[in-house]
Amino acid sequence: MKEKIKIGVVPLVRNTYDVKEGNRIYTAQIKRLRNMQDVDWVAFEKGIEDENEFPDVLKTLYGVDGVILVSNTFHLGTFVPKLLSEFPNIPILIWALPEPAYNGGRIRINSLVGAHLDGSNIYKMGHDNFEFFYGTMEEDHFSEKLNQWLDALRIVKKWKNAKIGLIGAHAKSFFNIDIYEPALYSDIGGEIEYVSLESVFNSRIEEEFIDKEAEEIRKIYSFGENMDEARLKKVAKLSLTFEKMVNDSKFDAMAIRCWPEFASVYGISPCAAMSKFMVKHIPIACEGDIEGSLGMMAYKSIGCNEVFLADVSQIIDENDLLLWHCGVAPYNTWDGKSEKTLDTYFANGHGVTVGFVLKTGPVTIMRVDYARGKWRIFLQEGEVVPMEKELKGTYAKVKVKSSIDVVEKLVKNGFAHHVVLGYGNYSEVIKELAKIKNWEVVE
């Protein structure tokens, strides 16, 4: 399910043009917009010209996640400065309607010029947070672009209101995935709540619920070498502990210091519990990777529930990479062929991790990253291709344009060593997100 957003739609006109025709075209478009799911539209019924109406229009826009300015006809540039004065950071979409057939030898609505005026005013007032579309909802390309813009706003909203639970800290020596909280709060809006490892280790869950959860886990995975019932119960208890934490603290995502304390103190590593938990609940990032959790949240907010936080572990050949992690991929990414196992190979036999090959299909690889005082995004499209189960852990063979190019860009630009794989083609959405946030994209 996608993150629901609220979008204001403001149509603008000038009475020296065919306002009746401009409003007619606009009304037909609004009907189509209202059919879109997971959007609460705050749309005015007809074009606005009178500046005396502007204060009431602005009041109506409070709480929206973005504003669409529709150029029903050419109009004066008086609304934009008032909009930006009231909402200086609001994402804006300028929409120009196609010109209808001429009538009496004159341009009837001149919508494009009105939109051009708005765009120029926004830019020259020092704002880059706007987009421009030309066309109508009847055009597939237009609808696709609009959906991409709306999905980018879903990510912005999800991050802005996010509460992220950090269990422990980042893994030992993983300074590159540490988070600078002032930048997280000011630039994205998310907040971190710290949770001690001890509170997780000592969580109390009733035995009957543990047994029920263990039975459900047993139906999903088979036992690998050295796996036993005692370890299974620890996996079940941990999965339920995660659920309890989310219910109690209302987390939108979590990140966890998954080693070495889990294996040495709790008795197992948390990978298998995370694999089970994430399919129906919130994402959890390995090794305390808050930025990784942002990428996972981004995918989930736009309806992608098949995500995997991974290392880029191997250049297989000129076009193929191995994306691997020790055994934490959600089980809904399974290829349907390999055996899904609970394994204890990791942490000196204290697992418990999951083992399977990820399913085939188009994917988008992303890394949200903060370094040297700025946010940026690594972005790459690829395709998971079939491979045999030859390794422990969860992994995918991903075909890209140039495997060495991908790795060089990640390493030379200092991106952290985790990427987030999401099933589907989302590169245009992520680029739109970067444009809204004014972030660099490395691809």
Side-chain angles (χ1 to χ4, degrees), residues 78-260:
T78 49
F79 182 72
V80 160
K82 295 182 182 299
L83 175 66
L84 290 175
S85 177
E86 195 72 27
F87 308 103
N89 298 313
I90 195 76
I92 298 172
L93 168 59
I94 301 166
W95 183 354
L97 302 173
E99 185 68 29
Y102 302 147
N103 184 9
R106 67 190 292 263
I107 289 178
R108 296 173 66 185
I109 63 173
N110 207 24
S111 171
L112 181 57
V113 179
H116 193 163
L117 173 62
D118 285 338
S120 180
N121 281 341
I122 292 171
Y123 183 87
K124 292 188 176 183
M125 290 176 68
H127 296 264
D128 297 310
N129 195 4
F130 74 97
E131 186 59 272
F132 165 71
F133 290 175
Y134 175 86
T136 66
M137 290 288 292
E138 287 79 8
E139 303 166 47
D140 290 341
H141 178 64
F142 182 93
S143 296
E144 183 180 358
K145 285 183 64 180
L146 178 60
N147 273 299
Q148 290 164 357
W149 185 73
L150 293 173
D151 277 351
L153 294 187
R154 297 181 204 279
I155 298 173
V156 172
K157 180 182 178 181
K158 187 66 178 179
W159 283 351
K160 184 177 181 180
N161 300 316
K163 185 179 181 182
I164 306 170
L166 178 55
I167 304 171
H170 62 70
K172 183 178 180 179
S173 81
F174 286 11
F175 314 118
N176 65 329
I177 59 172
D178 197 9
I179 189 72
Y180 183 58
E181 287 189 66
L184 175 69
Y185 185 77
S186 64
D187 300 339
I188 290 179
E191 292 188 68
I192 298 173
E193 181 173 310
Y194 290 84
V195 181
S196 69
L197 289 170
E198 289 75 13
S199 66
V200 177
F201 297 158
N202 299 322
S203 174
R204 293 186 178 184
I205 306 292
E206 292 184 23
E207 196 69 24
E208 63 178 297
F209 296 122
I210 295 175
D211 289 340
K212 184 178 178 181
E213 181 75 358
E215 186 59 33
E216 188 174 333
I217 293 170
R218 193 182 285 106
K219 292 176 182 178
I220 299 170
Y221 313 94
S222 60
F223 278 16
E225 186 179 359
N226 297 323
M227 183 61 188
D228 56 34
E229 292 294 326
R231 290 189 175 101
L232 175 62
K233 282 200 169 187
K234 286 184 179 291
V235 173
K237 181 185 177 184
L238 188 55
S239 176
L240 293 173
T241 297
F242 290 150
E243 187 173 351
K244 184 176 185 298
M245 290 169 59
V246 172
N247 291 336
D248 290 348
S249 299
K250 309 303 180 188
F251 292 137
D252 297 289
M254 292 190 288
I256 186 168
R257 180 178 167 102
C258 44
W259 59 270

Side-chain angles (χ1 to χ4, degrees), residues 7-78:
I7 303 297
V9 185
V10 181
L12 299 170
V13 296
R14 182 165 170 79
N15 61 20
T16 52
Y17 289 88
D18 191 343
V19 172
K20 183 177 180 181
E21 178 63 9
N23 285 341
R24 184 194 68 77
I25 299 170
Y26 168 78
T27 299
Q29 298 306 299
I30 289 297
K31 287 182 179 179
R32 286 185 171 268
L33 287 178
R34 292 193 189 281
N35 289 329
M36 300 178 73
Q37 295 184 342
D38 302 311
V39 183
D40 181 11
W41 296 101
V42 181
F44 293 84
E45 296 302 316
K46 60 181 181 179
I48 298 165
E49 179 179 18
D50 187 353
E51 292 186 29
N52 292 321
E53 296 182 50
F54 289 175
D56 288 336
V57 172
L58 293 172
K59 287 179 183 177
T60 306
L61 296 177
Y62 275 95
V64 301
D65 301 298
V67 173
I68 300 177
L69 298 180
V70 185
S71 182
N72 284 17
T73 72
F74 175 82
H75 50 275
L76 299 181
T78 49

Side-chain angles (χ1 to χ4, degrees), residues 264-433:
S264 60
V265 178
Y266 185 71
I268 63 166
S269 58
C271 311
M274 294 163 67
S275 174
K276 163 65 170 58
F277 175 82
M278 282 192 285
V279 174
K280 296 180 181 178
H281 301 283
I282 65 171
I284 308 179
C286 308
E287 298 166 331
D289 186 357
I290 294 289
E291 291 168 354
S293 75
L294 292 174
M296 298 169 84
M297 266 195 292
Y299 282 129
K300 296 272 271 190
S301 70
I302 57 178
C304 174
N305 196 40
E306 299 163 323
V307 296
F308 175 41
L309 182 73
D311 296 336
V312 181
S313 293
Q314 182 185 351
I315 297 173
I316 298 175
D317 54 42
E318 65 178 329
N319 297 116
D320 296 314
L321 294 167
L322 181 73
L323 267 60
W324 174 95
H325 231 165
C326 52
V328 72
Y331 66 84
N332 63 346
T333 61
W334 173 53
D335 68 355
K337 298 176 182 179
S338 58
E339 186 181 15
K340 296 196 299 296
T341 53
L342 297 175
D343 297 309
T344 62
Y345 82 99
F346 185 65
N348 294 321
H350 287 284
V352 175
T353 69
V354 166
F356 61 77
V357 179
L358 272 65
K359 67 181 183 179
T360 59
V363 293
T364 306
I365 301 166
M366 172 176 57
R367 174 71 200 186
V368 177
D369 203 82
Y370 183 81
R372 298 184 178 181
K374 65 178 183 179
W375 293 93
R376 68 265 176 81
I377 296 177
F378 175 81
L379 185 61
Q380 184 74 204
E381 285 192 349
E383 182 171 3
V384 178
V385 295
M387 71 177 297
E388 295 299 317
K389 186 177 181 182
E390 303 176 71
L391 296 165
K392 300 288 188 180
T394 45
Y395 49 93
K397 182 179 179 181
V398 184
K399 187 171 292 295
V400 294
K401 289 181 180 178
S402 169
S403 52
I404 188 62
D405 183 61
V406 168
V407 174
E408 285 184 344
K409 284 180 177 175
L410 283 167
V411 175
K412 290 182 178 181
N413 287 283
F415 283 93
H417 64 283
H418 292 158
V419 296
V420 182
L421 177 152
Y423 277 86
N425 296 318
Y426 300 106
S427 61
E428 294 305 315
V429 174
I430 304 305
K431 288 177 184 178
E432 194 67 56
L433 168 69

